[in-house]
Amino acid sequence: MESGLAMSDGTEYELDRLLERIRERRAVVGVIGLGYVGLPLATEFARAGFHVIGFDVDTARVAALNAGICHIPDVDGGLLRTLVETGAFEATDDFDRLAGVDTVSICVPTPLRKTKDPDISFVVDAAEAVARHLHRGQLVVLESTTFPGTTDELVQPLLERRGMRVGSDIFLAFSPERIDPGNTRYTLRNTPKVIGGVTEECTRLAEALYGSVVEQVVKVSSPRVAELVKLLENTFRAVNIGMANELALIANVLGVDVWEVIQAAATKPFGFVPFYPGPGLGGHCIPVDPHYLAWKLRSLNYRARFVELASEVNGEMPGFVVEQVTQALNEQRKCLNGARVLVLGAAYKRDVSDVRESPALEILEMLLARHAEVSYVDSYVPRLQLEHETLQATPLTDESLRAADCVVIVTDHTNVDYERVVRLASLVVDTRNATGHLADADHVWRLVRPARKTAQMERIVTT
Ligand SMILES: NC(=O)c1ccc[n+]([C@@H]2O[C@H](COP(=O)([O-])OP(=O)(O)OC[C@H]3O[C@@H](n4cnc5c(N)ncnc54)[C@H](O)[C@@H]3O)[C@@H](O)[C@H]2O)c1
């Protein structure tokens, strides 16, 4: 028996057949959801020699991809065109074609509802589409970040509705995506991939499939473990960033430079990992994923206290930034109402165009609500949709820097000359320490009030 696992003849047949098709690159690979996660995965499979069909409900995106036009910065446009021209990759919105794939990886969004409860509807829609076209010997892998139990409590019953059984007729696993948009050092290929199948056979097949595109596969004992691994990774970041943000609030009270404290602590060669404060959490993962964990635990009568506290502190940061802008202006005898505020950066992090959950959105909304005259600069984000209005990015010029009453650095894109910003602006609130390499100056607030200013104020109060 090639597989070496104890199982029925039917299972052995389906397993060996698919293993062979994967090894020989004859398996047709399906990827559902062609966004930041799905498209890089689909192109890696195609590069590895599989015929890949990408499925998406966004017909404009499908048409663009089939024309070789790429919307994800991490995917090389030239590579995509070649893969389309050679027929290695095609995109479609025709979900009947799921019947023709041997494997399917589900990479659809898992956002939050307004109530901060998980919106699992995209996963359900995708799993139902797979279930409608399911055939024996198919491998289904869920990649979307989600709460523990999604794969075996929600997806598995959907797939088994018509009588096929996971582990014998079909195979199911969870494998969290760890992609870090904009990171050129760690890509899909050299980032280890965690895999947890419902049965050993499921894990084995998923390992064979992903082993063809990643250097290291890490097998775990169940989909639940794999689901919790992903939530641990992202909750770890949310909690530690929350602590760094609280340190910034503490440093502000104490009149200490928070960046200096963290940099000095980071010289400890063991037992300390530096995390940095900022304007608040952003992106599709860190602000969202811990809520998936907290929600699941609430349903089991358990409160995930670290998650809740981190979310509270991180959620207060945009308001803190606006408060700092108000105070900094006040010290120059200006008020926020009517002040010209130039926001540098709208994306949620450096050198990307993604604005999902970006703290810049909340900061801009709050500044507008307080009647500041707001404009923003971001070469990656030409237009920004706020709740009630659309803003257009303005170019960064000497005139705009000189004219601003306050420049707020929200995202530290590397294509901005921060020395020029500090030289020309009359007031800078730098939420990212983008100006940290420059000499201290009274008109530059690095998230917290300049330490010398606090000392001056204390002297005034005590004399
Ligand atoms: N972006 C990241 O950095 C990142 C990293 C790790 C994990 N994740 C997780 O991966 C998942 C996908 O995230 P993303 O950033 O790629 O999202 P995305 O919004 O960039 O892409 C999702 C795609 O799925 C499509 N889609 C939605 N519903 C669909 C359906 N029913 N059938 C087919 N296509 C559908 C959308 O049109 C879109 O093209 C999420 O669970 C996310 O939490 C994201």
Side-chain angles (χ1 to χ4, degrees):
M1 180 166 100
E2 204 215 55
S3 57
L5 303 168
M7 57 199 161
S8 74
D9 284 353
T11 310
E12 186 186 341
Y13 172 76
E14 296 300 351
L15 180 81
D16 288 343
R17 187 182 149 280
L18 187 51
L19 277 176
E20 197 177 303
R21 285 176 71 78
I22 290 171
R23 265 191 223 117
E24 294 174 358
R25 305 292 191 262
R26 283 187 294 116
V28 178
V29 170
V31 175
I32 302 185
L34 299 172
Y36 285 91
V37 167
L39 190 62
L41 182 70
T43 51
E44 274 305 318
F45 279 133
R47 236 158 56 115
F50 293 102
H51 175 56
V52 179
I53 306 177
F55 297 83
D56 206 295
V57 287
D58 183 338
T59 47
R61 183 164 282 189
V62 165
L65 288 170
N66 284 330
I69 301 164
C70 183
H71 58 289
I72 302 289
D74 287 349
V75 173
D76 179 60
L79 169 71
L80 177 71
R81 274 192 296 284
T82 308
L83 294 173
V84 171
E85 279 162 19
T86 57
F89 170 77
E90 56 175 316
T92 183
D93 56 4
D94 176 5
F95 286 74
D96 288 346
R97 296 198 58 200
L98 279 167
V101 302
D102 294 293
T103 72
V104 55
S105 303
I106 300 176
C107 308
V108 295
T110 43
L112 292 174
R113 299 188 188 282
K114 277 217 157 107
T115 53
K116 297 224 184 286
D117 286 348
D119 177 358
I120 205 75
S121 61
F122 300 90
V123 171
V124 171
D125 288 351
E128 279 182 339
V130 173
R132 279 196 294 279
H133 302 96
L134 203 61
H135 60 76
R136 280 176 64 84
Q138 216 170 18
L139 168 68
V140 180
V141 182
L142 179 61
E143 293 222 9
S144 302
T145 308
T146 184
F147 54 82
T150 309
T151 308
D152 60 356
E153 287 172 2
L154 198 131
V155 176
Q156 187 174 346
L158 282 174
L159 299 185
E160 290 184 331
R161 218 163 33 190
R162 293 210 200 134
M164 281 191 257
R165 288 287 155 258
V166 165
S168 52
D169 306 306
I170 49 171
F171 304 95
L172 174 64
F174 183 81
S175 178
E177 184 47 68
R178 284 171 155 173
I179 208 155
D180 181 18
N183 191 332
T184 49
R185 181 161 173 222
Y186 289 108
T187 58
L188 182 76
R189 189 159 277 281
N190 66 359
T191 304
K193 190 111 175 77
V194 173
I195 289 175
V198 174
T199 66
E200 237 177 286
E201 296 82 36
C202 298
T203 307
R204 174 131 186 238
L205 276 170
E207 181 191 17
L209 177 68
Y210 284 92
S212 59
V213 291
V214 300
E215 286 166 12
Q216 191 192 345
V217 165
V218 181
K219 289 188 284 180
V220 295
S221 60
S222 68
R224 248 165 224 256
V225 171
E227 287 158 343
L228 192 53
V229 166
K230 176 70 186 180
L231 293 181
L232 165 64
E233 290 167 10
N234 285 357
T235 302
F236 172 82
R237 283 186 60 74
V239 167
N240 280 287
I241 293 169
M243 207 182 84
N245 279 332
E246 173 137 58
L247 184 74
L249 305 183
I250 290 169
N252 193 52
V253 173
L254 293 174
V256 171
D257 180 343
V258 64
W259 309 97
E260 189 184 355
V261 173
I262 296 172
Q263 273 150 16
T267 59
K268 186 178 178 190
F270 50 89
F272 184 82
V273 180
F275 279 82
Y276 298 96
L281 294 182
H284 192 29
C285 297
I286 313 295
V288 173
D289 301 346
H291 290 287
Y292 269 69
L293 183 58
W295 176 86
K296 175 71 182 179
L297 290 164
R298 272 200 303 279
S299 77
L300 299 171
N301 222 5
Y302 184 88
R303 252 186 71 218
R305 288 156 294 173
F306 274 86
V307 173
E308 287 177 8
L309 185 58
S311 166
E312 189 184 317
V313 175
N314 292 329
E316 284 171 6
M317 292 312 287
F320 176 70
V321 170
V322 173
E323 182 57 29
Q324 295 299 81
V325 171
T326 310
Q327 282 209 24
L329 282 168
N330 189 50
E331 289 186 15
Q332 293 198 349
R333 296 169 183 267
K334 291 178 184 168
C335 74
L336 184 55
N337 189 334
R340 279 159 303 194
V341 180
L342 180 63
V343 170
L344 299 192
Y348 85 88
K349 72 171 184 177
R350 181 194 295 169
D351 299 345
V352 301
S353 59
D354 195 348
V355 296
R356 289 177 296 178
E357 313 288 328
S358 174
L361 300 171
E362 209 178 327
I363 291 170
L364 285 163
E365 297 274 10
M366 279 192 267
L367 290 170
L368 286 166
R370 285 158 181 75
H371 308 294
E373 264 183 46
V374 180
S375 50
Y376 86 96
V377 173
D378 193 319
S379 58
Y380 293 88
V381 185
R383 230 161 20 93
L384 197 57
Q385 187 59 52
L386 301 182
E387 203 159 329
H388 299 298
E389 58 189 297
T390 308
L391 300 182
Q392 307 284 344
T394 55
L396 185 62
T397 63
D398 287 357
E399 291 69 40
S400 62
L401 285 170
R402 282 200 192 95
D405 293 302
C406 183
V407 175
V408 190
I409 301 170
V410 175
T411 316
D412 51 347
H413 289 313
T414 50
N415 60 7
V416 171
D417 176 357
Y418 293 102
E419 188 278 328
R420 174 190 176 210
V421 172
V422 166
R423 184 163 34 86
L424 297 178
S426 56
L427 180 62
V428 178
V429 173
D430 172 8
T431 68
R432 302 277 192 178
N433 203 26
T435 63
H437 59 294
L438 303 170
D440 289 344
D442 276 355
H443 73 294
V444 180
W445 291 42
R446 293 190 181 118
L447 194 55
V448 302
R449 176 200 297 278
R452 272 178 306 144
K453 281 196 150 259
T454 308
Q456 282 162 14
M457 286 205 30
E458 275 173 2
R459 270 201 306 280
I460 294 165
V461 172
T462 50
T463 50

